[in-house]
Amino acid sequence: MDTEFAELLRDRNLKATPKRLELLSVVAKYNSAIPYSELQKSLHHFDRVTLYRTLNALLDGGIVHKASVSNEEVYYAMCKHYCSSEGHHHKHVHLKCKECLEVSCVEAKNTIVIDIPNVEIDNVEIEVQGTCSKCL
Ligand SMILES: [Zn+2]
Ligand SMILES: [Zn+2]
Ligand SMILES: [Zn+2]
């Protein structure tokens, strides 16, 4: 597990520090997108600045992304291979389940194409509300 994450970091020209590896394993182990408060709980031995810096390095590196922005709570999830330090290129949507309140990354069956005249779009964030497959 650790070597996999170490490779992920080195691929993005990031040093595989113990703190980054630990944060990554917490995000990856969580079965859905992890709320920030859970991250804080799991990594209570990180001080606030360390957690912020470690998280930001992974966000900039295209390894982790924010999975929900419209809630009071911010959620984080692992990125796929198509993200890099050059940018995030997500083609999935974020499903917020109204039953279990979990936020998860889900692939939509149809491709999402959004065109805005005279704008170069890097990334589209779509949040979907509904009931997840576990709660149906
Ligand atoms: Zn990403
Ligand atoms: Zn659910
Ligand atoms: Zn996602």
Side-chain angles (χ1 to χ4, degrees):
M1 208 44 163
D2 257 20
T3 29
E4 192 187 313
F5 294 144
E7 255 170 57
L8 209 63
L9 286 161
R10 269 183 238 115
D11 264 5
R12 311 307 207 267
N13 292 317
L14 289 170
K15 252 208 205 137
T17 65
K19 290 231 155 40
R20 288 172 182 170
L21 290 172
E22 198 180 344
L23 196 150
L24 268 179
S25 75
V26 171
V27 177
K29 254 189 253 153
Y30 208 76
N31 57 354
S32 57
I34 186 165
Y36 188 70
S37 57
E38 282 298 317
L39 256 186
Q40 276 180 314
K41 237 188 271 168
S42 303
L43 301 167
H44 53 88
H45 48 289
F46 282 33
D47 63 61
R48 228 168 42 99
V49 180
T50 306
L51 179 56
Y52 176 83
R53 285 208 188 122
T54 311
L55 195 53
N56 264 330
L58 301 179
L59 287 167
D60 287 345
I63 301 176
V64 162
H65 64 280
K66 283 187 186 170
S68 180
V69 280
S70 68
N71 303 3
E72 305 91 83
E73 179 112 74
V74 184
Y75 291 75
Y76 296 93
M78 296 295 288
C79 289
K80 295 268 167 64
H81 57 88
Y82 39 72
C83 292
S84 70
S85 46
E86 305 290 306
H88 291 270
H89 300 284
H90 297 161
K91 292 189 179 79
H92 64 264
V93 301
H94 291 127
L95 171 72
K96 170 129 199 194
C97 176
K98 61 178 194 284
E99 301 296 330
C100 63
L101 304 178
E102 279 185 0
V103 174
S104 41
C105 301
V106 288
E107 301 291 334
K109 258 175 102 181
N110 44 342
T111 3
I112 303 147
V113 183
I114 293 176
D115 248 316
I116 305 171
N118 310 315
V119 169
E120 190 189 303
I121 300 171
D122 293 325
N123 191 30
V124 179
E125 299 206 16
I126 297 179
E127 201 175 307
V128 177
Q129 257 123 57
T131 312
C132 79
S133 54
K134 279 185 287 169
C135 295
L136 270 179

Short mmCIF file of all heavy atoms in Angstrom, two decimals, residues 32-82:
data_model
loop_
_atom_site.label_atom_id
_atom_site.label_comp_id
_atom_site.label_asym_id
_atom_site.label_seq_id
_atom_site.Cartn_x
_atom_site.Cartn_y
_atom_site.Cartn_z
N SER A 32 -15.95 6.29 1.06
CA SER A 32 -16.50 7.33 0.17
C SER A 32 -15.58 8.54 0.30
O SER A 32 -14.49 8.43 0.84
CB SER A 32 -17.93 7.64 0.59
OG SER A 32 -17.97 8.04 1.94
N ALA A 33 -16.02 9.68 -0.19
CA ALA A 33 -15.21 10.89 -0.01
C ALA A 33 -15.17 11.22 1.48
O ALA A 33 -16.17 11.12 2.17
CB ALA A 33 -15.79 12.04 -0.82
N ILE A 34 -14.01 11.59 1.96
CA ILE A 34 -13.86 11.79 3.40
C ILE A 34 -14.11 13.25 3.79
O ILE A 34 -13.57 14.16 3.18
CB ILE A 34 -12.46 11.29 3.88
CG1 ILE A 34 -12.35 11.35 5.40
CG2 ILE A 34 -11.31 12.06 3.21
CD1 ILE A 34 -11.18 10.56 5.97
N PRO A 35 -14.98 13.46 4.77
CA PRO A 35 -15.21 14.83 5.23
C PRO A 35 -13.97 15.35 5.97
O PRO A 35 -13.25 14.56 6.60
CB PRO A 35 -16.38 14.71 6.22
CG PRO A 35 -16.86 13.31 6.15
CD PRO A 35 -15.79 12.49 5.51
N TYR A 36 -13.75 16.63 5.89
CA TYR A 36 -12.58 17.22 6.52
C TYR A 36 -12.51 16.90 8.01
O TYR A 36 -11.44 16.61 8.53
CB TYR A 36 -12.57 18.74 6.29
CG TYR A 36 -11.30 19.39 6.75
CD1 TYR A 36 -10.10 19.18 6.05
CD2 TYR A 36 -11.26 20.19 7.89
CE1 TYR A 36 -8.93 19.75 6.47
CE2 TYR A 36 -10.09 20.78 8.31
CZ TYR A 36 -8.92 20.57 7.60
OH TYR A 36 -7.75 21.14 8.03
N SER A 37 -13.65 16.90 8.68
CA SER A 37 -13.65 16.64 10.12
C SER A 37 -13.16 15.22 10.43
O SER A 37 -12.53 14.98 11.46
CB SER A 37 -15.05 16.85 10.71
OG SER A 37 -15.98 16.03 10.05
N GLU A 38 -13.44 14.27 9.52
CA GLU A 38 -12.95 12.90 9.71
C GLU A 38 -11.44 12.83 9.51
O GLU A 38 -10.75 12.08 10.19
CB GLU A 38 -13.64 11.95 8.71
CG GLU A 38 -15.04 11.56 9.08
CD GLU A 38 -15.11 10.79 10.41
OE1 GLU A 38 -14.25 9.91 10.63
OE2 GLU A 38 -16.00 11.08 11.21
N LEU A 39 -10.97 13.59 8.53
CA LEU A 39 -9.53 13.66 8.30
C LEU A 39 -8.82 14.18 9.55
O LEU A 39 -7.82 13.62 9.99
CB LEU A 39 -9.24 14.64 7.16
CG LEU A 39 -8.87 14.12 5.78
CD1 LEU A 39 -8.50 15.29 4.89
CD2 LEU A 39 -7.74 13.12 5.84
N GLN A 40 -9.40 15.24 10.11
CA GLN A 40 -8.83 15.82 11.32
C GLN A 40 -8.81 14.82 12.46
O GLN A 40 -7.85 14.72 13.21
CB GLN A 40 -9.64 17.04 11.75
CG GLN A 40 -9.25 18.31 11.04
CD GLN A 40 -10.10 19.47 11.51
OE1 GLN A 40 -11.31 19.35 11.61
NE2 GLN A 40 -9.49 20.59 11.79
N LYS A 41 -9.89 14.03 12.55
CA LYS A 41 -10.00 13.05 13.63
C LYS A 41 -8.94 11.96 13.46
O LYS A 41 -8.26 11.58 14.39
CB LYS A 41 -11.40 12.42 13.62
CG LYS A 41 -12.13 12.58 14.95
CD LYS A 41 -13.43 11.79 14.98
CE LYS A 41 -14.60 12.62 14.47
NZ LYS A 41 -15.80 11.78 14.23
N SER A 42 -8.83 11.44 12.23
CA SER A 42 -7.87 10.38 11.97
C SER A 42 -6.44 10.86 12.10
O SER A 42 -5.54 10.09 12.39
CB SER A 42 -8.06 9.82 10.56
OG SER A 42 -9.36 9.37 10.40
N LEU A 43 -6.23 12.14 11.82
CA LEU A 43 -4.87 12.68 11.84
C LEU A 43 -4.74 13.74 12.92
O LEU A 43 -4.16 14.79 12.72
CB LEU A 43 -4.53 13.28 10.46
CG LEU A 43 -4.60 12.31 9.28
CD1 LEU A 43 -4.56 13.06 7.97
CD2 LEU A 43 -3.46 11.30 9.34
N HIS A 44 -5.27 13.42 14.10
CA HIS A 44 -5.29 14.40 15.19
C HIS A 44 -3.89 14.75 15.67
O HIS A 44 -3.68 15.76 16.33
CB HIS A 44 -6.14 13.90 16.35
CG HIS A 44 -5.75 12.53 16.82
ND1 HIS A 44 -4.79 12.34 17.77
CD2 HIS A 44 -6.17 11.31 16.43
CE1 HIS A 44 -4.63 11.03 17.95
NE2 HIS A 44 -5.45 10.39 17.16
N HIS A 45 -2.91 13.89 15.34
CA HIS A 45 -1.53 14.19 15.74
C HIS A 45 -0.85 15.16 14.76
O HIS A 45 0.27 15.58 14.99
CB HIS A 45 -0.73 12.90 15.87
CG HIS A 45 -0.89 11.99 14.69
ND1 HIS A 45 -2.07 11.31 14.45
CD2 HIS A 45 -0.05 11.68 13.69
CE1 HIS A 45 -1.93 10.60 13.33
NE2 HIS A 45 -0.73 10.82 12.85
N PHE A 46 -1.52 15.51 13.66
CA PHE A 46 -1.02 16.56 12.76
C PHE A 46 -1.51 17.88 13.35
O PHE A 46 -2.66 17.98 13.73
CB PHE A 46 -1.66 16.45 11.37
CG PHE A 46 -1.10 15.38 10.47
CD1 PHE A 46 -0.62 14.18 10.97
CD2 PHE A 46 -1.08 15.58 9.08
CE1 PHE A 46 -0.15 13.19 10.11
CE2 PHE A 46 -0.61 14.60 8.23
CZ PHE A 46 -0.14 13.40 8.74
N ASP A 47 -0.67 18.90 13.37
CA ASP A 47 -1.24 20.18 13.76
C ASP A 47 -1.95 20.78 12.55
O ASP A 47 -1.84 20.29 11.44
CB ASP A 47 -0.19 21.12 14.38
CG ASP A 47 0.90 21.47 13.40
OD1 ASP A 47 0.59 22.07 12.35
OD2 ASP A 47 2.07 21.14 13.69
N ARG A 48 -2.71 21.84 12.79
CA ARG A 48 -3.58 22.40 11.76
C ARG A 48 -2.81 22.81 10.49
O ARG A 48 -3.25 22.55 9.38
CB ARG A 48 -4.30 23.63 12.34
CG ARG A 48 -5.80 23.63 12.09
CD ARG A 48 -6.48 24.71 12.94
NE ARG A 48 -5.69 25.94 12.93
CZ ARG A 48 -5.95 26.98 12.15
NH1 ARG A 48 -6.98 26.96 11.35
NH2 ARG A 48 -5.20 28.06 12.20
N VAL A 49 -1.67 23.46 10.71
CA VAL A 49 -0.88 23.94 9.57
C VAL A 49 -0.31 22.77 8.77
O VAL A 49 -0.32 22.77 7.54
CB VAL A 49 0.27 24.86 10.07
CG1 VAL A 49 1.10 25.36 8.90
CG2 VAL A 49 -0.31 26.03 10.84
N THR A 50 0.15 21.75 9.47
CA THR A 50 0.71 20.58 8.80
C THR A 50 -0.36 19.89 7.96
O THR A 50 -0.11 19.53 6.80
CB THR A 50 1.27 19.58 9.84
OG1 THR A 50 2.17 20.28 10.68
CG2 THR A 50 1.97 18.42 9.17
N LEU A 51 -1.54 19.74 8.53
CA LEU A 51 -2.63 19.09 7.80
C LEU A 51 -2.98 19.90 6.56
O LEU A 51 -3.10 19.36 5.45
CB LEU A 51 -3.86 18.94 8.71
CG LEU A 51 -5.09 18.28 8.07
CD1 LEU A 51 -4.74 16.90 7.51
CD2 LEU A 51 -6.22 18.16 9.08
N TYR A 52 -3.07 21.21 6.72
CA TYR A 52 -3.40 22.11 5.62
C TYR A 52 -2.35 22.02 4.51
O TYR A 52 -2.67 21.86 3.34
CB TYR A 52 -3.49 23.53 6.18
CG TYR A 52 -3.73 24.60 5.15
CD1 TYR A 52 -5.02 24.86 4.69
CD2 TYR A 52 -2.67 25.34 4.63
CE1 TYR A 52 -5.24 25.85 3.73
CE2 TYR A 52 -2.89 26.33 3.67
CZ TYR A 52 -4.17 26.57 3.23
OH TYR A 52 -4.39 27.53 2.28
N ARG A 53 -1.08 22.07 4.89
CA ARG A 53 0.01 22.04 3.91
C ARG A 53 0.09 20.70 3.20
O ARG A 53 0.30 20.62 1.99
CB ARG A 53 1.35 22.31 4.60
CG ARG A 53 1.51 23.75 4.97
CD ARG A 53 2.97 24.12 4.99
NE ARG A 53 3.11 25.48 5.53
CZ ARG A 53 3.84 25.76 6.61
NH1 ARG A 53 4.52 24.81 7.22
NH2 ARG A 53 3.90 26.99 7.04
N THR A 54 -0.06 19.63 3.97
CA THR A 54 0.03 18.29 3.39
C THR A 54 -1.10 18.08 2.40
O THR A 54 -0.90 17.60 1.28
CB THR A 54 -0.03 17.22 4.52
OG1 THR A 54 0.88 17.58 5.55
CG2 THR A 54 0.33 15.84 3.99
N LEU A 55 -2.29 18.49 2.80
CA LEU A 55 -3.46 18.35 1.94
C LEU A 55 -3.30 19.18 0.67
O LEU A 55 -3.57 18.70 -0.44
CB LEU A 55 -4.69 18.81 2.74
CG LEU A 55 -6.07 18.44 2.21
CD1 LEU A 55 -6.18 16.94 1.96
CD2 LEU A 55 -7.13 18.87 3.21
N ASN A 56 -2.81 20.40 0.82
CA ASN A 56 -2.64 21.26 -0.35
C ASN A 56 -1.62 20.72 -1.34
O ASN A 56 -1.81 20.85 -2.55
CB ASN A 56 -2.23 22.67 0.08
CG ASN A 56 -3.45 23.56 0.17
OD1 ASN A 56 -4.42 23.37 -0.56
ND2 ASN A 56 -3.42 24.52 1.06
N ALA A 57 -0.56 20.11 -0.83
CA ALA A 57 0.45 19.53 -1.72
C ALA A 57 -0.19 18.43 -2.56
O ALA A 57 0.08 18.31 -3.76
CB ALA A 57 1.60 18.96 -0.90
N LEU A 58 -1.08 17.65 -1.95
CA LEU A 58 -1.74 16.55 -2.67
C LEU A 58 -2.80 17.07 -3.63
O LEU A 58 -3.01 16.50 -4.70
CB LEU A 58 -2.35 15.57 -1.67
CG LEU A 58 -1.37 14.92 -0.69
CD1 LEU A 58 -2.10 13.99 0.25
CD2 LEU A 58 -0.28 14.16 -1.43
N LEU A 59 -3.46 18.17 -3.27
CA LEU A 59 -4.44 18.79 -4.16
C LEU A 59 -3.73 19.36 -5.39
O LEU A 59 -4.16 19.14 -6.53
CB LEU A 59 -5.20 19.91 -3.44
CG LEU A 59 -6.24 19.51 -2.39
CD1 LEU A 59 -6.66 20.72 -1.57
CD2 LEU A 59 -7.46 18.87 -3.03
N ASP A 60 -2.62 20.06 -5.16
CA ASP A 60 -1.85 20.65 -6.27
C ASP A 60 -1.22 19.58 -7.14
O ASP A 60 -1.03 19.78 -8.33
CB ASP A 60 -0.73 21.55 -5.72
CG ASP A 60 -1.26 22.85 -5.16
OD1 ASP A 60 -2.43 23.17 -5.43
OD2 ASP A 60 -0.52 23.53 -4.44
N GLY A 61 -0.89 18.47 -6.54
CA GLY A 61 -0.23 17.40 -7.27
C GLY A 61 -1.18 16.55 -8.10
O GLY A 61 -0.76 15.67 -8.83
N GLY A 62 -2.47 16.81 -7.96
CA GLY A 62 -3.44 16.02 -8.74
C GLY A 62 -3.62 14.62 -8.19
O GLY A 62 -3.86 13.68 -8.93
N ILE A 63 -3.47 14.47 -6.89
CA ILE A 63 -3.62 13.15 -6.28
C ILE A 63 -4.93 13.05 -5.51
O ILE A 63 -5.55 12.02 -5.44
CB ILE A 63 -2.41 12.86 -5.34
CG1 ILE A 63 -1.11 12.91 -6.16
CG2 ILE A 63 -2.56 11.52 -4.65
CD1 ILE A 63 0.13 12.74 -5.35
N VAL A 64 -5.35 14.18 -4.95
CA VAL A 64 -6.57 14.23 -4.17
C VAL A 64 -7.38 15.42 -4.69
O VAL A 64 -6.81 16.38 -5.19
CB VAL A 64 -6.19 14.40 -2.67
CG1 VAL A 64 -7.35 14.90 -1.85
CG2 VAL A 64 -5.66 13.10 -2.09
N HIS A 65 -8.70 15.33 -4.63
CA HIS A 65 -9.52 16.47 -5.05
C HIS A 65 -10.66 16.70 -4.06
O HIS A 65 -11.02 15.81 -3.31
CB HIS A 65 -10.07 16.27 -6.46
CG HIS A 65 -11.01 15.11 -6.59
ND1 HIS A 65 -10.58 13.82 -6.71
CD2 HIS A 65 -12.37 15.05 -6.61
CE1 HIS A 65 -11.63 13.02 -6.81
NE2 HIS A 65 -12.74 13.73 -6.74
N LYS A 66 -11.17 17.91 -4.11
CA LYS A 66 -12.34 18.24 -3.30
C LYS A 66 -13.55 17.62 -3.98
O LYS A 66 -13.78 17.82 -5.16
CB LYS A 66 -12.53 19.76 -3.23
CG LYS A 66 -11.57 20.41 -2.29
CD LYS A 66 -11.88 21.87 -2.11
CE LYS A 66 -10.78 22.50 -1.26
NZ LYS A 66 -10.85 23.95 -1.22
N ALA A 67 -14.32 16.88 -3.21
CA ALA A 67 -15.44 16.16 -3.81
C ALA A 67 -16.76 16.88 -3.61
O ALA A 67 -17.76 16.52 -4.21
CB ALA A 67 -15.52 14.75 -3.25
N SER A 68 -16.79 17.86 -2.79
CA SER A 68 -18.04 18.57 -2.57
C SER A 68 -17.71 19.96 -2.10
O SER A 68 -16.87 20.15 -1.23
CB SER A 68 -18.89 17.85 -1.54
OG SER A 68 -20.08 18.54 -1.34
N VAL A 69 -18.37 20.91 -2.71
CA VAL A 69 -18.05 22.30 -2.35
C VAL A 69 -19.24 23.05 -1.81
O VAL A 69 -19.10 24.07 -1.17
CB VAL A 69 -17.44 23.06 -3.55
CG1 VAL A 69 -15.97 22.70 -3.69
CG2 VAL A 69 -18.17 22.76 -4.83
N SER A 70 -20.43 22.53 -2.05
CA SER A 70 -21.61 23.30 -1.69
C SER A 70 -22.09 23.07 -0.26
O SER A 70 -23.02 23.69 0.19
CB SER A 70 -22.74 22.99 -2.67
OG SER A 70 -23.17 21.67 -2.48
N ASN A 71 -21.44 22.17 0.44
CA ASN A 71 -21.83 21.94 1.84
C ASN A 71 -20.95 22.77 2.77
O ASN A 71 -19.94 23.28 2.36
CB ASN A 71 -21.59 20.47 2.22
CG ASN A 71 -22.34 19.55 1.30
OD1 ASN A 71 -22.98 19.98 0.36
ND2 ASN A 71 -22.24 18.28 1.57
N GLU A 72 -21.32 22.81 4.01
CA GLU A 72 -20.47 23.47 4.98
C GLU A 72 -19.19 22.65 5.15
O GLU A 72 -18.14 23.16 5.42
CB GLU A 72 -21.12 23.57 6.36
CG GLU A 72 -22.48 24.22 6.40
CD GLU A 72 -23.61 23.22 6.25
OE1 GLU A 72 -24.00 22.61 7.25
OE2 GLU A 72 -24.09 23.05 5.10
N GLU A 73 -19.34 21.35 4.97
CA GLU A 73 -18.20 20.46 5.13
C GLU A 73 -17.55 20.20 3.77
O GLU A 73 -18.24 19.98 2.79
CB GLU A 73 -18.68 19.14 5.73
CG GLU A 73 -17.58 18.13 5.92
CD GLU A 73 -17.28 17.87 7.39
OE1 GLU A 73 -18.09 17.20 8.04
OE2 GLU A 73 -16.23 18.33 7.86
N VAL A 74 -16.24 20.24 3.73
CA VAL A 74 -15.52 19.92 2.50
C VAL A 74 -15.15 18.45 2.52
O VAL A 74 -14.73 17.92 3.56
CB VAL A 74 -14.25 20.78 2.37
CG1 VAL A 74 -13.56 20.52 1.05
CG2 VAL A 74 -14.59 22.26 2.49
N TYR A 75 -15.33 17.77 1.40
CA TYR A 75 -15.00 16.36 1.29
C TYR A 75 -13.82 16.19 0.35
O TYR A 75 -13.67 16.96 -0.60
CB TYR A 75 -16.19 15.58 0.72
CG TYR A 75 -17.37 15.49 1.65
CD1 TYR A 75 -18.20 16.60 1.85
CD2 TYR A 75 -17.68 14.30 2.31
CE1 TYR A 75 -19.28 16.52 2.71
CE2 TYR A 75 -18.78 14.21 3.16
CZ TYR A 75 -19.57 15.32 3.36
OH TYR A 75 -20.64 15.25 4.20
N TYR A 76 -13.01 15.17 0.60
CA TYR A 76 -11.86 14.90 -0.25
C TYR A 76 -11.89 13.46 -0.75
O TYR A 76 -12.32 12.56 -0.03
CB TYR A 76 -10.56 15.15 0.51
CG TYR A 76 -10.40 16.60 0.90
CD1 TYR A 76 -10.83 17.05 2.14
CD2 TYR A 76 -9.85 17.52 0.01
CE1 TYR A 76 -10.72 18.39 2.49
CE2 TYR A 76 -9.73 18.86 0.35
CZ TYR A 76 -10.16 19.28 1.59
OH TYR A 76 -10.05 20.60 1.94
N ALA A 77 -11.44 13.27 -1.99
CA ALA A 77 -11.41 11.93 -2.56
C ALA A 77 -10.13 11.76 -3.38
O ALA A 77 -9.51 12.75 -3.79
CB ALA A 77 -12.64 11.69 -3.43
N MET A 78 -9.77 10.52 -3.64
CA MET A 78 -8.59 10.22 -4.44
C MET A 78 -8.86 10.56 -5.91
O MET A 78 -9.96 10.36 -6.40
CB MET A 78 -8.24 8.73 -4.35
CG MET A 78 -7.84 8.23 -2.98
SD MET A 78 -6.31 8.94 -2.35
CE MET A 78 -5.09 8.12 -3.40
N CYS A 79 -7.83 10.99 -6.60
CA CYS A 79 -7.94 11.25 -8.04
C CYS A 79 -7.57 9.99 -8.80
O CYS A 79 -6.98 9.07 -8.26
CB CYS A 79 -6.99 12.36 -8.44
SG CYS A 79 -7.49 13.98 -7.86
N LYS A 80 -7.92 9.99 -10.07
CA LYS A 80 -7.50 8.89 -10.95
C LYS A 80 -6.25 9.33 -11.69
O LYS A 80 -5.79 10.46 -11.56
CB LYS A 80 -8.63 8.57 -11.93
CG LYS A 80 -9.88 8.03 -11.23
CD LYS A 80 -9.84 6.50 -11.16
CE LYS A 80 -10.88 5.93 -10.22
NZ LYS A 80 -12.25 6.18 -10.62
N HIS A 81 -5.76 8.42 -12.52
CA HIS A 81 -4.49 8.66 -13.20
C HIS A 81 -4.50 9.90 -14.10
O HIS A 81 -3.47 10.47 -14.40
CB HIS A 81 -4.12 7.43 -14.03
CG HIS A 81 -5.18 7.08 -15.02
ND1 HIS A 81 -5.20 7.62 -16.28
CD2 HIS A 81 -6.28 6.30 -14.93
CE1 HIS A 81 -6.27 7.18 -16.92
NE2 HIS A 81 -6.94 6.37 -16.12
N TYR A 82 -5.69 10.33 -14.56
CA TYR A 82 -5.70 11.45 -15.51
C TYR A 82 -5.50 12.81 -14.85
O TYR A 82 -5.45 13.83 -15.53
CB TYR A 82 -6.95 11.44 -16.40
CG TYR A 82 -8.23 11.04 -15.72
CD1 TYR A 82 -8.86 11.87 -14.81
CD2 TYR A 82 -8.80 9.79 -16.00
CE1 TYR A 82 -10.02 11.48 -14.19
CE2 TYR A 82 -9.97 9.39 -15.37
CZ TYR A 82 -10.57 10.25 -14.47
OH TYR A 82 -11.72 9.86 -13.85
#
